[in-house]
Amino acid sequence: MEVDFSFNTGELEAVLDKLPIEMKKNVTRNAVASGARVIRNEARKLAPYNTRRTGGIHLRDAIRSERIKSTNDVFRIGTRSRDAPHAHLQEFGTVAHRANPFLRPAADSTQLKVAGRMIDNLSKGILKQSKILAGKAPKKGRR
């Protein structure tokens, strides 16, 4: 179970294109990871928690955010079926059990915070990488 979330970075994308490829990957990966953590943390707050449960992993503890290995800037936020095989039943409900959604509301309620966090991290990352590049550039007037 996962949620798709995307937004347009506009002017930051043009600035990112000026960075070397590896630096661009690092900046975007860190920014997207920070946004994914915001949604993950909110989903953990909203997930039901059974205080009487004695064994296994609680649903909120099974919610994770992780980068999809074949991509640079796509993160998956959700649960693994082996850790929380009942997550989809909580999110969508069953015939006998009403839905108790936690993942979709987390993504919906944090959109502005996610966008702000990602843009902030993109800006900081670009500034940091540009300083690194400036340090590597040969200084004028010195031999």
Side-chain angles (χ1 to χ4, degrees):
M1 183 175 66
E2 54 191 73
V3 174
D4 290 330
F5 182 86
S6 63
F7 71 98
N8 186 352
T9 57
E11 294 175 11
L12 287 173
E13 192 72 30
V15 175
L16 278 171
D17 285 337
K18 295 178 183 177
L19 290 175
I21 293 172
E22 280 306 308
M23 287 184 170
K24 178 181 177 179
K25 283 182 182 180
N26 289 336
V27 169
T28 56
R29 183 183 304 133
N30 291 338
V32 176
S34 69
R37 283 190 299 270
V38 170
I39 297 171
R40 180 202 64 201
N41 293 342
E42 184 64 20
R44 285 178 176 173
K45 288 179 191 173
L46 298 175
Y49 183 80
N50 184 350
T51 57
R52 294 176 296 180
R53 185 180 177 125
T54 57
I57 298 173
H58 288 277
L59 179 57
R60 74 172 183 200
D61 299 329
I63 299 169
R64 52 183 61 231
S65 62
E66 55 192 12
R67 184 172 61 90
I68 297 174
K69 300 291 184 215
S70 61
T71 69
N72 181 55
D73 54 358
V74 176
F75 278 70
R76 179 186 168 278
I77 304 160
T79 61
R80 293 185 185 148
S81 59
R82 71 173 181 239
D83 294 337
H86 61 292
H88 67 288
L89 302 174
Q90 286 288 337
E91 184 77 14
F92 303 114
T94 68
V95 173
H97 184 302
R98 68 176 181 81
N100 189 4
F102 57 95
L103 193 54
R104 184 80 232 180
D108 290 344
S109 68
T110 59
Q111 284 184 9
L112 291 177
K113 188 174 181 180
V114 168
R117 180 78 50 91
M118 289 175 68
I119 289 170
D120 186 47
N121 279 327
L122 280 172
S123 300
K124 287 177 182 177
I126 290 168
L127 183 61
K128 179 180 177 182
Q129 297 302 326
S130 63
K131 287 180 180 179
I132 290 170
L133 285 174
K136 290 181 181 179
K139 299 195 176 168
K140 293 182 181 180
R142 290 191 170 182
R143 291 188 180 200

XYZ file of all heavy atoms in Angstrom, residues 3 16 42:
24
model
N 1.213 5.731 -1.424
C 0.553 6.941 -1.882
C 1.482 7.668 -2.831
O 2.679 7.780 -2.580
C 0.227 7.862 -0.675
C -0.323 9.184 -1.134
C -0.755 7.182 0.246
N 18.914 23.481 -10.562
C 19.447 22.131 -10.368
C 20.122 21.606 -11.635
O 21.121 20.901 -11.562
C 18.329 21.172 -9.955
C 17.939 21.164 -8.506
C 16.676 20.339 -8.305
C 19.050 20.616 -7.642
N 3.516 11.736 9.996
C 2.093 12.031 10.185
C 1.266 10.750 10.120
O 0.330 10.567 10.902
C 1.613 13.037 9.133
C 0.181 13.479 9.308
C -0.081 14.256 10.599
O 0.864 14.797 11.208
O -1.267 14.339 10.994
